[in-house]
């Protein structure tokens, strides 16, 4: 076991070289300790034996810089991008659902074995940990790296180097002692796909916290919030729902919220009859709209504001 200070790049680089050469290295993250393994045949075989996996289990790609995400997923949709911006580096694993065409194109950027390991069922799981040692280590390994929790099959993940040493000493090349983990629990796993998002595994964050991190809110503003902005809200909901291939009442489940407000609005006033009729003739229902005034909270919650 070696102790590594956050700024000791020489030792971190030596561990990175060890992993690149086929070794296994236990390292700290903010959640639990992980086992760094380069995605190569010999290394993955050793990791499968250690974790008692048959090769069908998904392994999560670990990256040192969230800017590298697009190298493995291509174009990132707005919901995923907002979660990346708000949650990475941090205790979140994102499973990106991709099309078969996407996987085929992205697989050309890496060798065939790595593509087979990383892409399962047209998806890939990625994590960018919020731990300086972890990020520096991952950034210094040239090959793609997976890093399951540091424990024997069926055991609890190690949350400090001593726990990792107790079960993995002699089974890996290096154990980095980076102190105790901040959260001492696994990352939250979130899947984002063409049909919305969902929490696959609860961890550091719960579903309500994840929703706040990824939901995109669009705000339309006029003066009284009884005609122009409610109409814009209704047509905005219809347009986005059509683009996503869902119903308007499913938008929030997809990660989008469209609202409206007025700079001089009185709360609780219904939309004007003319606005309701105009929208109804075009397949948009705003009959249930109730006006609301603009607020600092609405501004702060909104990603896009149209006035």
């Amino acid at each position: 076991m070696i102790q590594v200070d956050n700024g000791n790049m020489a030792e971190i680089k030596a561990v990175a070289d060890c992993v690149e050469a086929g070794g296994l290295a236990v390292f700290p993250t903010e959640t639990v300790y992980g086992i760094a393994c380069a995605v190569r045949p010999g290394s993955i075989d050793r990791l499968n034996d250690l974790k008692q996996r048959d090769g069908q289990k998904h392994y999560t790609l670990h990256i040192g810089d969230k800017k590298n995400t697009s190298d493995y997923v291509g174009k990132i949709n707005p919901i995923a991008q907002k979660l990346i911006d708000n949650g990475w580096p941090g205790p979140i694993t994102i499973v990106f659902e991709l099309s078969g065409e996407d996987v085929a194109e992205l697989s050309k950027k890496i060798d065939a074995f790595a593509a087979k390991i990383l892409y399962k069922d047209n998806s890939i799981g990625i994590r960018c940990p919020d731990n300086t040692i972890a990020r520096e280590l991952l950034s210094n390994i040239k090959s793609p790296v997976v890093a399951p929790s540091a424990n024997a099959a069926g055991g609890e993940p190690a949350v400090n180097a001593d726990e990792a040493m107790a079960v993995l000493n002699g089974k890996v090349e290096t154990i980095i002692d980076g102190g105790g983990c901040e959260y001492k629990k696994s990352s939250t796993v979130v899947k984002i796909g063409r049909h919305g998002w969902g929490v696959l595994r609860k961890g550091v964050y719960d579903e309500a916290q994840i929703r706040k991190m990824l939901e995109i809110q669009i705000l339309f503003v006029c003066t009284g919030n009884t005609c122009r902005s409610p109409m814009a809200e209704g047509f905005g909901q219809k347009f986005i729902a059509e683009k996503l291939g869902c119903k308007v009442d499913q938008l929030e489940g997809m990660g989008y919220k469209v609202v409206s407000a007025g700079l001089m609005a009185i709360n609780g006033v219904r939309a004007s009859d003319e606005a309701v009729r105009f929208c109804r003739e075009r397949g948009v229902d705003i009959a249930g709209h109730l006006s609301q005034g603009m607020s600092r909270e609405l501004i702060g919650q909104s990603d896009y504001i149209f006035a």
Side-chain angles (χ1 to χ4, degrees):
M1 181 164 63
I2 62 172
Q3 288 186 325
V4 175
D5 296 326
N6 288 344
N8 194 331
M9 284 303 300
E11 287 189 321
I12 292 175
K13 182 66 167 61
V15 176
D17 291 342
C18 173
V19 174
E20 185 69 44
L24 302 178
V26 173
F27 68 103
T29 75
E30 77 281 16
T31 55
V32 298
Y33 272 64
I35 306 172
C37 173
V39 185
R40 293 180 174 179
S43 303
I44 292 294
D45 288 343
R46 286 188 59 199
L47 187 62
N48 285 338
D49 290 341
L50 180 60
K51 299 289 289 184
Q52 296 181 24
R53 293 183 176 181
D54 60 7
Q56 299 304 310
K57 178 89 171 177
H58 285 235
Y59 278 120
T60 298
L61 175 71
H62 282 58
I63 56 177
D65 190 332
K66 62 184 180 182
K67 294 179 181 178
N68 296 332
T69 307
S70 60
D71 294 340
Y72 297 93
V73 302
K75 185 177 180 180
I76 302 171
N77 74 41
I79 299 300
Q81 187 61 60
K82 185 173 181 181
L83 183 58
I84 290 170
D85 292 341
N86 287 333
W88 277 359
I92 300 172
T93 297
I94 304 177
V95 177
F96 297 86
E97 185 181 46
L98 307 170
S99 68
E101 292 77 11
D102 291 335
V103 172
E105 191 64 30
L106 291 163
S107 295
K108 296 177 183 178
K109 299 181 180 180
I110 55 179
D111 66 70
F113 179 80
K116 181 180 178 181
I117 295 297
L118 296 176
Y119 296 104
K120 299 279 190 180
D121 303 322
N122 288 340
S123 67
I124 182 172
I126 304 179
R127 172 148 144 69
C128 181
D130 186 18
N131 176 284
T132 303
I133 292 174
R135 292 202 308 275
E136 289 182 347
L137 174 64
L138 294 167
S139 296
N140 277 278
I141 302 172
K142 296 178 181 179
S143 299
V145 179
V146 295
S149 57
N151 58 279
E156 290 295 318
V159 296
N160 57 57
D162 289 335
E163 290 182 2
M165 177 69 79
V167 293
L168 297 175
N169 187 31
K171 299 178 181 179
V172 298
E173 274 69 22
T174 304
I175 297 176
I176 298 176
D177 183 358
C181 298
E182 179 181 356
Y183 295 108
K184 298 179 175 59
K185 62 167 62 175
S186 298
S187 64
T188 299
V189 180
V190 182
K191 184 173 184 179
I192 299 178
R194 291 167 292 176
H195 304 292
W197 66 276
V199 174
L200 300 183
R201 183 184 73 192
K202 295 180 180 179
V204 174
Y205 296 125
D206 60 28
E207 186 169 329
Q209 291 171 306
I210 293 295
R211 181 181 296 277
K212 288 182 180 180
M213 290 184 189
L214 60 72
E215 186 173 71
I216 290 179
Q217 179 163 296
I218 300 169
L219 173 64
F220 292 99
V221 183
C222 69
T223 306
N225 194 219
T226 58
C227 53
R228 289 167 296 166
S229 58
M231 292 167 65
E233 176 186 347
F235 282 109
Q237 290 173 338
K238 182 175 185 291
F239 175 78
I240 295 172
E242 289 173 350
K243 295 288 280 187
L244 296 175
C246 70
K247 297 179 180 179
V248 168
D249 60 8
Q250 296 174 320
L251 276 179
E252 290 196 31
M254 298 289 286
Y256 291 87
K257 188 175 183 179
V258 184
V259 297
S260 63
L263 294 177
M264 300 178 65
I266 300 172
N267 290 340
V269 179
R270 293 193 177 278
S272 69
D273 292 341
E274 292 85 356
V276 171
R277 183 171 61 252
F278 181 87
C279 288
R280 184 185 298 119
E281 290 172 353
R282 289 156 180 80
V284 175
D285 182 11
I286 63 169
H289 171 79
L290 295 175
S291 63
Q292 65 173 336
M294 176 64 89
S295 67
R296 287 182 179 273
E297 183 180 15
L298 267 176
I299 293 172
Q301 292 172 346
S302 300
D303 300 277
Y304 301 96
I305 300 175
F306 297 93

